[in-house]
Amino acid sequence: MAIITLTTDLGDKDIYQAALKGSIYKLLPTVNIVDITNNVAAFNVQQAAFILKNSFHYFPEDTVHLIGIDTVYNDHTKYLAIRYKKHYFVGADNGIFSLMFDEAPEEIVEINIMQDLKFLHFPLADVFVKTACHLAKGGKLDEIGLPVNDIENKMNLQPVIEKNLIKGVVIYIDSFQNVITNITKEFFNNVQQGRRFVLNFKRNETINHLSWHYNEVPVGEKLCLFGISDHLEIAINKGNASGLLGLNLNDKVIIEFQ
């Protein structure tokens, strides 16, 4: 069964999510629609990119990932369909693809399906749905668009190495209020080289031990670990790390090696 995933900022309270799913089922009644999330903060391309980048590879090859973030029509933004690591992605060329992809996609086309004017304010239910269903049925990219080589470029903020320090920032706070930084496991290991470390963050808080799981410390105690995204997380066992530790998006964290 074909799969179309949804990553959008449509929320759960309005008609928009229902309109999107209904439009998909009209064209492809047998498709399996999977919500990755419909609760991305409005127009937050970075948040959507982080979620989708760290989840799409769990799905079977040829899954179609429909991205509904900042898709309203304007003269400057292209709509793209992309094949990357044997998956398909459909979305606006607003920088999200450069934030998600670590290497060049296998194929990119600018979608040339005619926009129905009655959906001009909501192309998700028209151009995006038609594209996603075409690909989910096994259609080819070159049948719905013309090849392009470039995508809109946005840069993820990268951690910085200074002498015996890594300087990073908070890039995501999950539903459990775990605080996720831009320091990856690979980056950390390359710099650490087996040395001891101290993780410093707000309120002069420190952690000097990597945990394997959240329950490795007593309930209410803070810890750090590399989570499912392979990014360094600051957490509290069964607690609200973001709120209790005062950590928010873009706050700085520093790892000092000894």
Side-chain angles (χ1 to χ4, degrees), residues 216-249:
E216 192 172 311
V217 300
V219 172
E221 290 294 321
K222 63 182 181 291
L223 67 136
C224 66
L225 51 66
F226 288 101
I228 193 171
S229 68
D230 266 349
H231 284 247
L232 184 68
E233 296 183 19
I234 300 168
I236 290 177
N237 185 10
K238 294 184 169 63
N240 176 341
S242 174
L244 293 175
L245 298 174
L247 284 166
N248 300 295
L249 290 175

Side-chain angles (χ1 to χ4, degrees), residues 5 28 36 51 56 184 219:
T5 77
L28 193 56
I36 291 181
I51 293 170
F56 82 86
T184 65
V219 172

Side-chain angles (χ1 to χ4, degrees), residues 17-29:
Q17 187 186 145
L20 174 60
K21 291 178 178 177
S23 298
I24 293 171
Y25 282 128
K26 268 188 177 181
L27 289 183
L28 193 56

Side-chain angles (χ1 to χ4, degrees), residues 24-80:
I24 293 171
Y25 282 128
K26 268 188 177 181
L27 289 183
L28 193 56
T30 59
V31 74
N32 186 11
I33 299 175
V34 178
D35 294 308
I36 291 181
T37 179
N38 292 294
N39 291 301
V40 174
F43 311 112
N44 194 321
V45 171
Q46 288 81 4
Q47 183 184 17
F50 179 85
I51 293 170
L52 191 50
K53 177 179 181 177
N54 289 289
S55 59
F56 82 86
H57 52 86
Y58 289 100
F59 288 86
E61 292 179 1
D62 294 323
T63 295
V64 181
H65 304 281
L66 193 157
I67 307 168
I69 307 292
D70 194 18
T71 59
V72 175
Y73 173 81
N74 68 63
D75 291 333
H76 309 294
T77 302
K78 303 187 291 289
Y79 297 151
L80 302 181

